[in-house]
């Protein structure tokens, strides 16, 4: 493979792939998206965007804060940690290069099981599939429920409203929370449960300030949404606790304030109005269809939502960076500038990018250029996969510290107390290093998986397709096999509901 400085003969992949066959297969499958035109929304052939030049990243020497908030910085800064990982020179993890092909083979087995031979049917990673849990096409049904007089643009605005709030609520739900659908009576957990809950709340007008217009999110609706009302909507109780409940409520309250920015969200203060901003942006090109640059979408999300993140986050020159953290594996003073020890991830912003593109593409045939700038999501499913396959292992001293923290946390009412795993806070150096190495290994696995599937040229899986059909799903399934009672990842993270 040439990935590691000292490579050994690859281990047999059977020990991990056999785990896939032992899963209960109760992970929600991701059905291919409907390709039919809905309500007069037609399909237009894809155009080539290869010759469209993207803007360069901000110069870190001139404006380090702007650089660290850019999408370019996520992969570039995490690459420093990844290079150390390939040399097995990390502060908190040991790397076994013989497990790389085994990990790739496991992901391939998941992809083949669910999609072979039609790999092009794999949707890009995004929130849309979570709404469709159980094979019920809830978003298609929602679209068909609206009168035909509702324009394609307004339908898209409504979905952007829904998807943005749903993603912000989609931090890890914990091991105990579940949601019983009021429509089907079925019970869902984790990301799919939060998706169904947010959809049913959206339809009930929880996020709208106008009772005659329930199918929208606006500042007035979020400003009047109390923590108690949110808890009722999510069915949270002492017997059904949701991790980071207060953090989620704060995010939505802060979003209500952020929506007052008329430049991005218009006079009606709706997330969906970013569509109008994007379509009229000078960088957006129009031929048969609009072509929007990922850096443009990224800047809209970073600039317009900067105020919603907790004020305690890492800062450079007085500017809050959001999901970006110091890491001991990065260059440090006095040989480096102060900002150089920071690794940016912007996980929820990336999850928003992946998720918001889908409504614009499917309903308005918008194309996006620069999608390759987005990275694999540095969260505990993708990262947990690397640990559960044995590619990376927490070093003994850190494992001991994390296990002690877990046992201490288990004394708190409502916290898990079985299937003990190391526990750390979001800003712990272990978690930051873990997330950084995850981004790099996902890039490597993406290349290897296309090779194993014999896919090349236009038939290659995109990184977003690999995340959807392979690594994220595979990480969850390995957790279910390895820790069947809690289904939690191999490292537990104390989250405030604003990162994971």
């Amino acid at each position: 493979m040439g990935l590691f400085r000292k490579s050994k003969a690859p281990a047999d992949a059977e020990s991990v792939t056999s785990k896939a066959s032992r899963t209960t297969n109760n992970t929600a499958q991701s059905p291919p998206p409907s390709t039919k035109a809905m309500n007069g929304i037609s399909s237009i052939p894809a155009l080539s965007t290869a010759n469209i030049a993207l803007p360069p990243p901000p110069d870190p020497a001139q404006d380090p804060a702007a650089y660290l908030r850019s999408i370019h910085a996520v992969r570039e800064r995490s690459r420093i940690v990844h290079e150390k990982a390939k040399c097995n020179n990390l502060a908190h993890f040991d790397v076994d290069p013989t497990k790389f092909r085994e990990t790739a083979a496991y992901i391939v087995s998941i992809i083949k099981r669910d999609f072979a031979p039609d790999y092009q049917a794999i949707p890009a990673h995004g929130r849309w599939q979570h709404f469709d849990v159980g094979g019920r096409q809830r978003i298609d049904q929602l679209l068909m429920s609206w009168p035909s007089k509702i324009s394609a643009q307004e339908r898209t605005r409504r979905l952007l409203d829904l998807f943005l709030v749903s993603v912000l609520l989609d931090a890890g739900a914990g091991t105990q929370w579940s949601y019983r659908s009021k429509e089907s009576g079925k019970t869902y957990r984790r990301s799919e449960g939060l998706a169904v809950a947010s959809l049913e709340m959206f339809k009930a007008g929880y996020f709208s300030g106008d009772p005659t217009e329930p199918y929208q999110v606006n500042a007035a609706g979020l400003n009047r949404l109390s923590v108690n009302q949110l808890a009722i909507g999510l069915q949270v109780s002492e017997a059904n606790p949701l991790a980071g409940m207060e953090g989620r409520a704060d995010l939505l309250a802060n979003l209500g304030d952020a929506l007052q920015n008329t430049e991005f969200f218009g006079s009606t203060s709706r997330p969906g109005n970013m569509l109008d901003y994007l379509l009229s942006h000078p960088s957006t090109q129009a031929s048969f269809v609009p072509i929007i640059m990922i850096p443009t979408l990224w800047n809209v999300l970073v600039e317009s939502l900067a105020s919603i993140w907790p004020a305690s986050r890492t800062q450079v020159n007085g500017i809050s960076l959001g999901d970006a953290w110091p890491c001991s594996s990065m260059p440090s003073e006095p040989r480096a500038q102060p900002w150089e020890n920071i690794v940016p991830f912007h996980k929820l912003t990336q999850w928003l990018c992946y998720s918001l593109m889908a409504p614009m593409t499917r309903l308005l045939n918008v194309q996006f250029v620069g999608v390759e700038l987005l990275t694999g999501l540095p969260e505990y499913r993708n990262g947990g996969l690397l640990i559960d396959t044995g590619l990376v292992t927490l070093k003994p001293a850190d494992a001991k510290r994390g296990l002690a923290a877990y046992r201490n946390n288990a004394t708190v009412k409502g916290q898990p107390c079985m299937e003990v795993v190391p526990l750390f806070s979001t800003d712990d150096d272990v978690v930051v290093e873990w997330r950084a190495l995850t981004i790099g290994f996902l890039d490597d696995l993406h290349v290897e998986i296309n090779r194993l599937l014999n896919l090349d040229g236009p038939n290659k899986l995109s990184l977003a397709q690999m995340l959807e059909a392979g690594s994220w799903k595979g990480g969850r399934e390995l957790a279910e096999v390895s820790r069947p009672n809690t289904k939690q990842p191999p490292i537990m993270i104390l989250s405030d509901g604003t990162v994971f």
Side-chain angles (χ1 to χ4, degrees), residues 457-477:
N459 295 320
K460 283 184 179 180
L461 293 185
S462 68
L463 178 60
Q465 287 177 303
M466 185 202 75
L467 296 173
E468 178 65 25
S471 62
W472 188 89
K473 183 187 295 184
R476 172 186 276 188
E477 293 192 12

Side-chain angles (χ1 to χ4, degrees), residues 289-328:
V289 297
I291 302 173
I292 296 174
M293 294 185 179
I294 284 296
T296 303
L297 173 59
W298 182 265
N299 288 339
V300 168
L301 297 175
V302 168
E303 295 296 332
S304 68
L305 303 181
S307 62
I308 76 173
W309 309 114
S312 59
R313 292 283 164 80
T314 309
Q315 296 187 358
V316 169
N317 297 333
I319 298 174
S320 180
L321 301 180
D323 183 14
W325 314 86
C327 179
S328 66

Side-chain angles (χ1 to χ4, degrees), residues 412-432:
V412 178
K413 185 177 180 180
Q415 292 298 307
C417 56
M418 63 176 68
E419 296 180 334
V420 178
V421 296
L423 178 147
F424 304 95
S425 61
T426 302
D427 61 349
D428 194 285
D429 202 55
V430 166
V431 174
V432 179

Side-chain angles (χ1 to χ4, degrees), residues 162-361:
L162 166 62
F163 280 37
L164 189 141
V165 164
S166 187
V167 166
L168 292 183
L169 288 173
D170 188 34
T175 61
Q176 301 179 68
W177 179 82
S178 63
Y179 180 82
R180 187 174 185 270
S181 170
K182 296 179 180 179
E183 297 179 358
S184 69
K186 294 183 178 180
T187 298
Y188 303 100
R189 301 178 183 274
R190 299 190 180 275
S191 287
E192 290 83 1
L194 289 165
V196 174
S198 60
L199 173 59
E200 293 187 358
M201 292 173 69
F202 175 77
K203 293 164 72 173
Y206 267 76
F207 311 117
S208 172
D210 183 352
T212 67
E213 296 286 351
Y215 299 112
Q216 64 177 5
V217 175
N218 61 18
L222 295 179
N223 288 336
R224 68 173 177 80
L225 183 66
S226 67
V227 177
N228 185 58
Q229 289 173 316
L230 182 61
I232 292 172
L234 295 174
Q235 301 176 359
V236 175
S237 66
E238 186 174 344
N240 189 36
L242 176 65
M245 179 65 198
E246 291 76 14
R248 294 170 214 265
D250 288 343
L251 270 185
L252 293 191
N254 293 340
L255 175 62
D257 294 335
L259 291 177
Q260 302 289 348
N261 187 328
T262 57
E263 178 184 6
F264 298 116
F265 302 121
S267 60
T268 56
S269 304
R270 291 175 54 191
N273 288 336
M274 76 172 71
L275 173 67
D276 304 89
Y277 177 88
L278 290 167
L279 292 178
S280 63
H281 194 272
S283 69
T284 297
Q285 302 187 27
S287 182
F288 294 107
V289 297
I291 302 173
I292 296 174
M293 294 185 179
I294 284 296
T296 303
L297 173 59
W298 182 265
N299 288 339
V300 168
L301 297 175
V302 168
E303 295 296 332
S304 68
L305 303 181
S307 62
I308 76 173
W309 309 114
S312 59
R313 292 283 164 80
T314 309
Q315 296 187 358
V316 169
N317 297 333
I319 298 174
S320 180
L321 301 180
D323 183 14
W325 314 86
C327 179
S328 66
S329 291
M330 297 293 287
S332 59
E333 297 181 271
R335 295 186 177 182
Q337 295 298 314
W339 66 267
E340 292 187 73
N341 76 329
I342 297 170
V343 186
F345 300 115
H346 307 302
K347 180 259 181 180
L348 279 178
T349 305
Q350 292 210 68
W351 186 219
L352 277 171
C353 270
Y354 280 122
S355 297
L356 298 182
M357 284 190 286
M360 290 185 272
T361 298

Side-chain angles (χ1 to χ4, degrees), residues 52 54 68-69 79 85 142 184 194 216 308 367 389 424 454:
I52 298 177
L54 296 173
L68 291 172
R69 295 170 72 196
R79 186 176 295 131
L142 179 65
S184 69
L194 289 165
Q216 64 177 5
I308 76 173
Q367 290 205 1
T389 58
F424 304 95
N454 295 313

